[in-house]
Amino acid sequence: MAEYKLTYFNGRGRAEMNRLLFALAGVAYDDVRVNSDEWKELKPSTKFGLLPMLEHGGKSYTQSRAIFYYLGRKLGYYPTDVEEAFQVDETIFIMEDYFNQAIKAMFAKDEEKEEKMKEYKEVQVPKFNGFLEKVLKANDGGKGYFVGKKISLADIAVFDFVSNNKDGLKDFPVLKAHIERIGNIDNIKKWVEKRPVTQF
């Protein structure tokens, strides 16, 4: 029986960062994917009525970002240095802003959807990719990681989201190279190749 159990819907969504982190660390876990009927039964027993949910050591943990930080600390991918920790946090929070722009466009009203998606692709994607490229270049000329000298939660958070839109990387060679570098890490590559193909 695995030490960790991660429960979410059958999609990448807000659980995938944590799956990528488990893959990177080579840690076995139960990847539980529930459908809508199963979720209705499970929901009343959860702490906040939300997924993803992590179970470990007889305790349950919720909120995707909180789980991500918890696992990052447990598995050694969150810095102990306070300045580097801030830089990791900063990168993860800008990714949350980026993600929210995508959600806004995806779930726009039908009559606004085409315009919102166009604005997202032509304005928001270049803007946020530009931010990320600038941060990468500032750390070792973009040849390494987002923070410090080793891979951290920041790199996983960026890879998780940005790798879904490779077309948006054509004008950002440093960020593109970074996404490819993280994607070619053996454990990450194996997970991406075998993970279920889902709608979201």
Side-chain angles (χ1 to χ4, degrees):
M1 188 175 179
E3 189 180 349
Y4 295 94
K5 177 180 174 181
L6 183 65
T7 302
Y8 191 59
F9 306 107
N10 186 30
R12 296 188 300 274
R14 292 189 175 274
E16 194 63 15
M17 287 192 309
N18 294 300
R19 295 184 185 124
L20 286 164
L21 191 53
F22 278 131
L24 175 65
V27 172
Y29 68 103
D30 291 327
D31 183 14
V32 179
R33 296 171 184 242
V34 298
N35 60 35
S36 56
D37 290 336
E38 291 167 332
W39 172 230
K40 282 176 188 174
E41 288 186 26
L42 177 63
K43 188 174 182 178
S45 68
T46 62
K47 191 184 294 183
F48 299 128
L50 296 168
L51 292 180
M53 175 176 68
L54 178 74
E55 293 170 82
H56 171 63
K59 297 179 181 178
S60 66
Y61 304 83
T62 59
Q63 293 292 338
S64 57
R65 294 293 185 274
I67 292 169
F68 192 49
Y69 278 107
Y70 172 73
L71 290 175
R73 291 183 175 100
K74 292 276 287 185
L75 303 177
Y77 295 99
Y78 188 79
T80 55
D81 176 81
V82 68
E83 294 297 328
E84 289 193 351
F86 175 83
Q87 291 169 45
V88 167
D89 295 351
E90 190 176 46
T91 305
I92 291 171
F93 294 153
I94 200 65
M95 291 310 303
E96 182 74 4
D97 292 345
Y98 197 171
F99 179 81
N100 287 338
Q101 289 296 327
I103 293 297
K104 229 191 289 188
M106 287 170 63
F107 292 97
K109 294 177 183 177
D110 289 345
E111 63 271 22
E112 298 177 342
K113 189 157 189 149
E114 186 177 344
E115 181 186 342
K116 294 287 185 184
M117 285 302 297
K118 185 174 186 291
E119 193 268 347
Y120 172 70
K121 290 176 181 177
E122 294 181 3
V123 178
Q124 300 301 333
V125 169
K127 180 178 80 172
F128 281 96
N129 284 354
F131 291 158
L132 296 170
E133 178 129 325
K134 185 177 179 181
V135 172
L136 262 179
K137 285 179 178 177
N139 187 37
D140 199 24
K143 297 174 185 175
Y145 304 103
F146 269 93
V147 179
K149 300 292 184 183
K150 64 178 188 175
I151 193 169
S152 72
L153 295 185
D155 302 285
I156 296 300
V158 174
F159 175 81
D160 173 42
F161 186 71
V162 175
S163 63
N164 293 321
N165 181 18
K166 291 178 181 173
D167 289 344
L169 291 170
K170 62 182 184 296
D171 296 324
F172 303 95
V174 175
L175 180 59
K176 181 180 179 183
H178 181 266
I179 295 299
E180 290 171 352
R181 187 161 56 248
I182 300 301
N184 281 321
I185 294 171
D186 194 44
N187 282 356
I188 296 287
K189 187 175 183 180
K190 284 177 181 175
W191 167 248
V192 170
E193 287 174 350
K194 77 174 186 179
R195 69 185 175 187
V197 176
T198 57
Q199 290 184 322
F200 64 94

